[in-house]
């Protein structure tokens, strides 16, 4: 009994140490974990996958550093997926400190794509040089541009970052009329009209899909304003804390797909065939959950035993 | 990796360890890291607001519209420039609350404007975006016309959902005592509420563990791994 009593009053720092251990070991040793893709993640994947090449997808960065490990792998995976399928990306942010994180994710995805297609790009360049030996000729320039369009992802042509604007709701409503009313310039203070990608992109009618990566109420706000008022198709990538709040919207089909937490990122990555932080973090997530379940069960059993003994005594 | 990148990694790792040190006990290192985080975030937001909101949205637009009026005689430009004076005044009035009680009451005007705008937008969105679609989604047909027909699991799911919605609403119905039939249904409502709390708790645990994974992954692979790679690259 003494031992059980001691265990129920164990120093919480020992629990922290145990948690630290069960998370650290799978990070050090690569343990393979099987992934079952859930229907909400599959729906989010299909929503991106079925878009026609050249379609515009808006990524809303509604998280910051405090949710980085959960939301960042999702935005990386969706950006990668979008570039693979020839989609154009518009980045907006409703949290100013989240903006550089979103920018980094899209730039990394562009870099990854460019690295992957480096050989094709270089071969197209050498072909252009052999066809048009004069590098100042319009023919050569055109061939180079075509090679870049086919094999490279560049700022202003394949993705733009419109930055952060304060006042989330009026912006969401106003973008239904004209994006330029709020984002006349991008995050580098470049005039939006001078960016080739933004030609013909004015409001939600020109955006095929909106993906919000959030750690708060932003997804619900997107649904209430852009979704309900303008019929914008929306998918979300959210932290674990937000998942239960969004299931009703998934059931009512106001949300097309939902990527929830690190597990959701892992599922999306597995569909994409890409090993990101979601996949790498899954073994640690599993061992940590096993520890939490074990501690809850053990604690409940001990409390039950102690209750019985105290009742018998009294 | 450049030396600047390595330095950045070490700063990030030191701050991470400083924050994690709170798990042992509160200490000056933790306090320092906490204050650095708050300070940097506040500074970033202020600079961003000044550059991309004040300058881009207000000063530049005002200046361009005024220039367009002066150079081309564009009345639209003049109107748009003058319209910007209204939010500027409202913004300045918001700051009067720090100027003492004599003129502090002026800050109520922009607050009233913001609340009015928020309420107007919120009521429409609440009904159009949440209430009506959710009610519509709750009343799901059990029989879907062929070829789907009756899907047993979907039908059971729909019935459970209706039971959950009705019993939870009755639990929050306080105009009658929770006795007899209402008492039984409200007890069922509590079970549904508890299940949703359990789901929220489970999801929260998953979220918090993910944050720890992210930080430990950074410490092991990026900080330690990056440092080793940096010195490996230096050695001949």
């Amino acid at each position: 009994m003494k031992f059980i009593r001691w265990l129920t009053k164990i120093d919480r720092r020992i629990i922290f140490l145990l948690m630290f251990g069960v998370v650290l070991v799978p990070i050090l040793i690569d343990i393979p974990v099987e992934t079952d893709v859930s229907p909400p993640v599959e729906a989010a994947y299909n929503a991106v996958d079925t878009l026609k090449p050249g379609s515009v997808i808006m990524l809303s960065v509604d998280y910051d550093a405090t949710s980085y490990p959960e939301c960042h792998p999702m935005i990386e995976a969706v950006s990668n997926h979008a570039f693979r399928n020839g989609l154009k990306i518009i980045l907006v942010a409703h949290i100013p400190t989240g903006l550089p994180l979103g920018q980094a994710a899209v730039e990394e995805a562009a870099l990854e794509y460019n690295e992957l297609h480096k050989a094709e790009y270089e071969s197209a360049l050498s072909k252009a040089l052999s066809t048009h030996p004069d590098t100042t000729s319009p023919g050569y320039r055109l061939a180079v541009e075509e090679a870049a369009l086919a094999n490279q992802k560049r700022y202003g042509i394949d993705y733009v970052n419109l930055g952060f604007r304060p006042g989330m709701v009026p912006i969401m409503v106003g973008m239904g009329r004209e994006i330029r009313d709020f984002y006349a310039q991008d995050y580098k203070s470049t005039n939006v009209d001078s960016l080739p990608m933004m030609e013909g992109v004015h409001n939600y009618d020109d955006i095929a899909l909106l993906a919000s990566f959030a750690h708060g109420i932003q997804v619900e706000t997107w649904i209430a304003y852009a979704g309900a008022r303008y019929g914008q198709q929306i998918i979300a990538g959210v932290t674990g804390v937000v998942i239960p709040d969004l299931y009703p919207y998934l059931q009512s089909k106001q949300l097309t797909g939902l990527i929830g937490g690190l597990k959701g990122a892992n599922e999306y990555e597995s569909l994409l065939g890409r090993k990101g932080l979601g996949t790498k973090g899954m073994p640690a997530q599993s061992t940590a959950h096993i520890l939490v379940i074990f501690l809850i069960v053990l604690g409940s059993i001990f409390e039950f035993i102690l209750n019985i003994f105290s009742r018998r005594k009294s | 990796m450049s030396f600047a990148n390595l330095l950045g990694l070490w700063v990030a790792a030191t701050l991470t360890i400083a924050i994690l040190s709170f798990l042992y006990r509160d200490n000056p290192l933790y306090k320092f890291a906490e204050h650095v985080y708050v300070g940097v975030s506040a500074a970033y937001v202020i600079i961003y607001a000044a550059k991309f909101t004040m300058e881009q949205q207000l000063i530049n637009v005002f200046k361009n519209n005024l220039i367009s009026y002066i150079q081309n005689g564009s009345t639209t430009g003049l109107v748009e420039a003058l319209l910007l004076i209204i939010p500027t005044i409202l913004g300045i009035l918001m700051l009067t609350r720090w100027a003492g009680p004599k003129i502090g009451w002026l800050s109520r005007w922009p607050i009233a404007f913001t609340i009015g705008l928020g309420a107007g937008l919120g009521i429409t969105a609440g009904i159009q975006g949440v209430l009506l679609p959710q009610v519509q989604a709750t009343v799901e047909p059990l029989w879907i016309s062929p070829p789907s027909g009756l899907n047993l699991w979907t039908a059971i799911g729909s019935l459970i959902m209706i039971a959950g919605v009705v019993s939870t609403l009755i639990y929050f119905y306080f105009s009658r005592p929770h006795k007899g039939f209402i008492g039984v249904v409200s007890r069922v409502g509590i079970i549904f509420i508890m299940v949703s709390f359990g789901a929220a708790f489970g999801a929260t645990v998953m979220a918090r563990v993910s944050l720890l994974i992210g930080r430990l992954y950074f410490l092991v692979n990026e900080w330690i791994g990056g440092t080793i790679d940096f010195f490996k690259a230096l050695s001949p």
Side-chain angles (χ1 to χ4, degrees), chain A residues 151-305:
Chain A
N151 302 299
Q152 298 285 288
K153 296 296 172 195
R154 294 170 295 168
Y155 186 82
I157 293 164
D158 301 289
Y159 64 99
V160 295
N161 182 351
L162 296 182
F164 161 80
R165 295 284 181 272
M168 183 169 64
V169 171
I171 291 172
M172 287 175 182
V173 176
M175 279 204 297
R177 190 177 63 242
E178 175 59 64
I179 291 173
R180 281 158 188 79
D181 286 351
F182 300 92
Y183 299 98
Q185 291 164 318
D186 72 349
Y187 86 115
K188 291 176 179 171
S189 299
T190 311
N191 199 332
V192 162
D193 284 322
S194 69
L195 301 168
M197 200 200 107
M198 291 304 288
E199 196 183 324
V201 180
H202 293 280
N203 50 41
Y204 293 125
D205 291 341
D206 309 310
I207 295 164
L209 182 70
L210 191 146
S212 171
F213 301 92
H215 66 185
I217 56 148
Q218 293 86 354
V219 178
E220 284 166 284
T221 319
W222 274 120
I223 291 168
Y225 293 98
R229 193 170 289 200
Y230 298 102
Q232 177 63 53
Q233 194 190 7
I234 302 168
I235 62 166
V238 296
T239 57
V241 181
V242 184
I243 303 170
D245 297 339
L246 294 182
Y247 266 99
Y249 296 104
L250 202 62
Q251 193 263 336
S252 65
K253 296 183 179 64
Q254 289 175 280
L255 200 59
T256 308
L258 177 65
I259 312 164
L262 200 67
K263 173 84 177 90
N266 163 241
E267 290 172 23
Y268 202 101
E269 284 169 4
S270 79
L271 285 169
L272 206 58
R274 182 179 177 271
K275 220 177 168 187
L277 186 61
T279 311
K280 288 168 190 167
M282 241 336 88
Q285 185 93 55
S286 307
T287 50
H289 281 201
I290 291 167
L291 177 70
V292 171
I293 293 166
F294 174 72
L295 290 174
I296 289 171
V297 172
L298 206 66
S300 303
I301 292 169
F302 288 162
E303 278 299 320
F304 182 70
I305 293 168

Side-chain angles (χ1 to χ4, degrees), chain A residues 99-178:
Chain A
L99 186 68
L101 305 178
Q103 175 69 15
V106 177
E107 272 179 358
E108 275 167 36
L111 204 70
E112 200 177 310
Y113 182 93
N114 295 349
E115 280 295 313
L116 208 68
H117 294 81
K118 202 177 170 184
E120 289 106 306
Y121 180 54
E122 281 170 359
S123 128
L125 285 184
S126 53
K127 199 177 166 187
L129 196 65
S130 63
T131 326
H132 309 279
D134 179 11
T135 54
T136 55
S137 69
Y140 176 79
R141 280 184 198 162
L142 190 71
V144 167
E145 186 54 29
E146 276 173 3
L149 275 176
N151 302 299
Q152 298 285 288
K153 296 296 172 195
R154 294 170 295 168
Y155 186 82
I157 293 164
D158 301 289
Y159 64 99
V160 295
N161 182 351
L162 296 182
F164 161 80
R165 295 284 181 272
M168 183 169 64
V169 171
I171 291 172
M172 287 175 182
V173 176
M175 279 204 297
R177 190 177 63 242
E178 175 59 64

Side-chain angles (χ1 to χ4, degrees), chain B:
Chain B
M1 185 196 291
S2 66
F3 180 72
N5 283 345
L6 184 76
L7 198 68
L9 267 184
W10 273 79
V11 170
T14 311
L15 290 172
T16 300
I17 293 165
I19 291 288
L20 289 177
S21 71
F22 184 77
L23 294 174
Y24 179 70
R25 68 160 69 131
D26 201 356
N27 62 75
L29 202 64
Y30 166 76
K31 284 264 190 285
F32 171 75
E34 192 184 31
H35 291 148
V36 166
Y37 178 70
V38 173
V40 168
S41 302
Y44 183 85
V45 172
I46 290 167
I47 294 292
Y48 203 94
K51 172 78 185 159
F52 292 95
T53 309
M54 301 282 283
E55 194 185 314
Q56 259 193 22
Q57 301 272 82
L58 186 70
I59 299 165
N60 286 354
V61 180
F62 184 80
K63 204 169 68 184
N64 294 341
N65 281 321
L66 213 60
I67 289 169
S68 131
Y69 170 67
I70 293 163
Q71 286 180 346
N72 314 322
S74 156
T75 45
T76 320
L78 181 70
V79 170
E80 283 187 7
L82 291 176
L83 275 176
L84 281 173
I85 294 172
I86 299 168
T88 311
I89 292 170
L90 286 173
I92 292 164
L93 288 182
M94 190 76 103
L95 301 173
T96 57
R97 61 192 311 177
W98 286 295
K102 271 191 178 175
I103 57 163
W105 60 272
L106 285 169
S107 67
R108 290 180 196 159
W109 288 358
I111 291 170
F113 176 81
T114 314
I115 290 173
L117 183 79
L121 286 167
I123 289 168
T124 329
I127 296 168
Q128 189 187 19
V130 183
L131 186 67
L132 293 179
Q134 288 302 315
V135 169
Q136 196 181 6
T138 306
V139 192
E140 282 281 306
L142 297 181
W143 178 268
I144 300 157
S145 57
S148 301
L150 179 73
N151 184 324
L152 187 67
W153 293 114
T154 312
I156 291 171
S158 300
L159 289 172
I160 291 173
M161 189 170 64
I162 291 167
V165 170
V166 173
S167 59
T168 306
L169 284 174
I170 285 179
Y171 175 73
F172 287 106
Y173 177 70
F174 301 117
S175 299
R176 278 179 177 242
H178 286 192
K179 285 176 188 170
F181 177 72
I182 290 181
V184 173
V185 179
S186 71
R187 293 287 298 174
V188 176
I190 293 175
I191 294 167
F192 276 103
I193 293 168
M194 289 301 158
V195 169
S196 77
F197 285 165
F201 174 71
T204 306
V205 168
M206 184 175 84
R208 301 300 177 237
V209 170
S210 303
L211 299 184
L212 179 66
I213 292 168
R215 282 298 81 196
L216 288 185
Y217 190 85
F218 163 77
L219 289 176
V220 171
N221 290 297
E222 291 181 39
W223 177 46
I224 299 173
T227 308
I228 291 169
D229 289 347
F230 179 79
F231 285 107
K232 262 187 188 171
L234 279 184
S235 61

